[in-house]
Amino acid sequence: MNLIDLNATAATLPREWSSLVLGHVGSTCVKVLRMNELPVEEETHDAPEALLVLDGQLALEVGGEEVPVGPGELYVVPAGTPHAVRPGSHGTLVIVEVSP
């Protein structure tokens, strides 16, 4: 993987919540996206998912509990755990997940 300016890359994406795969490290996939104020429906994954907020705020709900994730903070969603994004998120998010 080459040097990537994550905030600049996220700013060029055509729409919010549309992730861009930056590369793969072993069996993991590294993605970046721009968040916006709109919610994202609940989902689960078969493997853990790491969510790193570069700037802004992620209004995360995990297992029915609100979990605010701020700039420079990382939250790892355990495998099989329902999670959703609540209204109010904004900024740049990096996602690290097992490649499908």
Side-chain angles (χ1 to χ4, degrees):
M1 187 180 305
N2 296 321
L3 180 64
I4 299 169
D5 183 328
L6 296 169
N7 288 319
T9 301
T12 65
L13 294 175
R15 60 187 167 91
E16 293 85 1
W17 299 113
S18 173
S19 62
L20 173 68
V21 175
L22 301 172
H24 293 84
V25 180
S27 64
T28 62
C29 177
V30 179
K31 303 189 286 189
V32 67
L33 60 83
R34 278 184 300 123
M35 300 181 280
N36 68 4
E37 301 286 326
L38 299 176
V40 176
E41 292 188 25
E42 185 175 90
E43 61 183 9
T44 60
H45 304 280
D46 293 335
E49 177 181 50
L51 306 172
L52 171 64
V53 176
L54 294 183
D55 64 73
Q57 180 79 24
L58 172 61
L60 190 62
E61 183 178 302
V62 181
E65 293 189 31
E66 291 186 28
V67 180
V69 185
E73 294 183 327
L74 172 74
Y75 188 87
V76 178
V77 180
T81 302
H83 58 286
V85 177
R86 294 295 160 229
S89 297
H90 62 280
T92 306
L93 179 66
V94 173
I95 300 172
V96 181
E97 63 187 12
V98 174
S99 298

